[in-house]
Amino acid sequence: MNKQLIKNEWLGETVHHAVLPSGLKIFVLPKPGYTKQYATFASHYGSIDNKFILPGTEQQLEVPDGIAHFLEHKLFEEEFGNIFDEFAKLGANTNAFTSWNITSYLFSSTENFHENLSLLLDFVQRPYFTEENVEKEKGIIEQEIRMYQDSPHWCALVNLLGALFHSHPVKIDIAGTVESIRKITPETLLKCYNTFYHPSNMAIFATGDLEPDRVIDQIAENLARHEYTTQAPIQRVYPPEPKTIFKQQVEQALAVSRPSQYLGFKDTRVGFGGKALLEKEIASEILLEGIFGRGSELFNSLYEAGLIDENFTREYLGEVTYGASILGGETKDPGQLQQRIVDEISKLHKDGLDTQVLERSRKKLLGRFARGFNSLEFVANNFLNYQFMGTEIFEYPLLLKEMPLETIQERFAEHFSLDNLAQSRIVPKA
């Protein structure tokens, strides 16, 4: 087992890192004096991975949309009952989430950390699928899908991704559809589990007042009992995606009192990970903060006009094969909000960016990042997200501080083009 230290002098943090013979990556960040502990066991597997080559074969498998999320649900059900109850007995809170790229299982505790860690390791490595419990789960997830179909924010986001992308599976709802999950079988679940839940495609992050060597040794002993064999690298299959947007606008009527207006800029420069991907993300975040952040002139003018509220969102969503900048929220006048944003973008393309604004944005993001390291949840979830992107979270502040203004300006010119813009609107039902 190979062990090493990953240090960041600026943050004053050191992560203890080990790679097991099975390929599992382990990261432990000791936080002396913290009463809370947090651990996450994650697979580099998300909703976009619906086509892949079965390892060791040349067979391409296409699985129903929503199966990664379905699998996340199913792992919590054991032959002897529900795993939530077992964590509760140990005084821990447990949860899980599925995104476009990651499925993560986690717990937080103030006691019995190592017992909870064993429980986490065991249930994630112990799938239990039967015809009966899979059919039962379909009904539960159908209710969840219908619940999200009533959420204006989620519908606006899914509709916007559908407008931005022609064929990339990021445009598909993470939970799938009622029709797609009805096609899921125990056999298909097991094929996905065996492919994406191999330790070589997974990582563990633990943080709190912990002894790193003890945590690493416990995980190593647990996985050694499973006698994993080597697995070939996973070949994920994605359809060709044009650089153009799919459609300019989409509108949906829901039972809401106020409309919502969301806009998205499609990323046309994709296909790479690692440091280059992180740099692209940072440049996008600086721009989003400077142009649309709470301290910006545009935000304040829109807020004073009653066109946005304090929940106005702006974020960059990106991975190796896709990317988009998303902004929007509830508004009294969707058309006026859209026009004001388009006018501001056009003005900036004509007059140029204010470098002082960009520098203030850089400092805000740096301070926000440093404060984030006081949150165990922030550190754990973001650390593994960056790992799966082929980089490290510790690179973030260094790249943020040193990024040339020219790089940020070039990013604005290529990414915030009105040719890349699509809009999604939610309006009240008549």
Side-chain angles (χ1 to χ4, degrees):
M1 177 170 54
N2 181 28
K3 292 184 182 181
Q4 67 181 87
L5 299 179
I6 304 172
K7 296 183 178 183
N8 184 282
E9 300 296 338
W10 184 74
L11 289 167
E13 303 281 10
T14 299
V15 170
H16 296 246
H17 173 43
V19 181
L20 301 185
S22 59
L24 179 72
K25 296 178 180 179
I26 306 170
F27 304 91
V28 183
L29 173 63
K31 302 284 275 187
Y34 275 58
T35 57
K36 188 176 180 181
Q37 307 102 28
Y38 191 95
T40 179
F41 192 2
S43 169
H44 187 193
Y45 175 45
S47 63
I48 67 171
D49 299 314
N50 55 11
K51 288 184 183 178
F52 56 93
I53 307 296
L54 283 171
T57 75
E58 296 182 358
Q59 178 188 353
Q60 179 175 306
L61 185 65
E62 182 173 359
V63 296
D65 295 330
I67 197 166
H69 173 255
F70 197 103
L71 182 51
E72 172 222 309
H73 274 238
K74 286 307 308 149
L75 284 189
F76 278 96
E77 187 171 354
E78 302 270 297
E79 190 171 1
F80 55 80
N82 194 299
I83 204 69
F84 284 98
D85 298 333
E86 301 305 310
F87 278 102
K89 291 175 186 176
L90 292 169
N93 294 315
T94 187
N95 209 337
F97 66 85
T98 303
S99 70
W100 295 283
N101 310 97
I102 295 174
T103 307
S104 185
Y105 304 84
L106 54 97
F107 75 83
S108 61
S109 62
T110 55
E111 58 183 349
N112 303 318
F113 173 82
H114 291 279
E115 292 85 348
N116 283 304
L117 179 59
S118 291
L119 195 56
L120 176 69
L121 294 168
D122 288 342
F123 92 82
V124 173
Q125 296 179 91
R126 190 169 55 209
Y128 175 62
F129 310 136
T130 67
E131 294 286 351
E132 183 180 7
N133 69 26
V134 169
E135 286 303 311
K136 177 184 174 184
E137 196 66 39
K138 290 178 183 179
I140 296 171
I141 294 182
E142 281 183 20
Q143 291 179 349
E144 184 176 334
I145 290 171
R146 291 192 169 97
M147 179 185 70
Y148 274 101
Q149 288 174 344
D150 292 329
S151 166
H153 171 75
W154 185 249
C155 288
L157 176 59
V158 172
N159 292 345
L160 182 55
L161 293 173
L164 288 169
F165 294 92
H166 292 254
S167 53
H168 194 286
V170 72
K171 70 184 295 178
I172 301 167
D173 194 310
I174 290 172
T177 65
V178 170
E179 292 73 26
S180 69
I181 66 168
R182 286 176 179 167
K183 301 174 185 177
I184 294 173
T185 65
E187 293 75 21
T188 309
L189 283 170
L190 192 59
K191 286 180 180 179
C192 292
Y193 179 88
N194 289 336
T195 299
F196 293 100
Y197 282 71
H198 188 276
S200 59
N201 192 54
M202 302 185 76
I204 294 178
F205 187 94
T207 184
D209 196 347
L210 304 170
E211 298 176 20
D213 285 343
R214 183 182 175 189
V215 175
I216 291 170
D217 291 344
Q218 178 184 353
I219 296 170
E221 290 171 8
N222 183 290
L223 266 77
R225 296 198 297 267
H226 292 267
E227 299 180 346
Y228 287 102
T229 57
T230 302
Q231 177 173 279
I234 299 170
Q235 299 179 58
R236 306 162 202 258
V237 180
Y238 302 114
E241 175 63 37
K243 290 187 176 184
T244 59
I245 61 171
F246 178 59
K247 61 173 69 172
Q248 289 186 329
Q249 60 185 21
V250 61
E251 183 175 301
Q252 182 179 358
L254 290 175
V256 295
S257 57
R258 297 189 75 203
S260 294
Q261 178 71 34
Y262 285 76
L263 294 97
F265 291 87
K266 183 176 182 177
D267 205 335
T268 58
R269 187 166 60 91
V270 297
F272 51 87
K275 181 180 177 181
L277 176 57
L278 182 55
E279 287 177 336
K280 185 176 69 169
E281 175 184 310
I282 290 171
S284 303
E285 290 178 349
I286 291 173
L287 290 164
L288 287 168
E289 180 64 32
I291 302 170
F292 307 106
R294 289 197 172 199
S296 68
E297 290 184 9
L298 180 62
F299 181 96
N300 288 317
S301 66
L302 294 175
Y303 187 84
E304 290 171 3
L307 291 172
I308 62 173
D309 59 25
E310 63 277 3
N311 295 316
F312 182 82
T313 186
R314 72 273 176 200
E315 61 181 324
Y316 176 74
L317 305 175
E319 228 265 1
V320 174
T321 60
Y322 67 87
S325 289
I326 309 293
L327 54 139
E330 288 189 2
T331 180
K332 67 178 183 181
D333 190 332
Q336 188 180 356
L337 175 59
Q338 177 191 350
Q339 191 58 52
R340 290 279 295 272
I341 291 173
V342 168
D343 289 345
E344 180 69 12
I345 293 294
S346 298
K347 178 177 179 293
L348 292 173
H349 277 295
K350 179 182 177 183
D351 299 340
L353 299 165
D354 187 328
T355 56
Q356 291 184 337
V357 168
L358 298 180
E359 289 299 341
R360 284 198 299 270
S361 299
R362 190 198 305 264
K363 291 177 181 177
K364 282 184 181 180
L365 292 174
L366 202 56
R368 190 179 301 161
F369 179 84
R371 290 192 300 273
F373 261 75
N374 293 322
S375 164
L376 302 187
E377 291 88 344
F378 170 88
V379 180
N381 293 327
N382 281 283
F383 196 99
L384 293 188
N385 184 50
Y386 285 116
Q387 278 293 319
F388 291 142
M389 284 165 50
T391 185
E392 291 182 357
I393 195 172
F394 282 170
E395 289 193 69
Y396 187 98
L398 180 63
L399 293 175
L400 177 58
K401 287 190 291 183
E402 296 183 349
M403 180 167 289
L405 287 170
E406 293 78 8
T407 300
I408 303 169
Q409 291 165 334
E410 290 170 2
R411 179 62 176 161
F412 175 76
E414 74 166 7
H415 181 47
F416 288 91
S417 165
L418 296 180
D419 291 336
N420 304 336
L421 177 65
Q423 63 149 319
S424 171
R425 185 174 296 178
I426 301 295
V427 298
K429 279 185 176 180

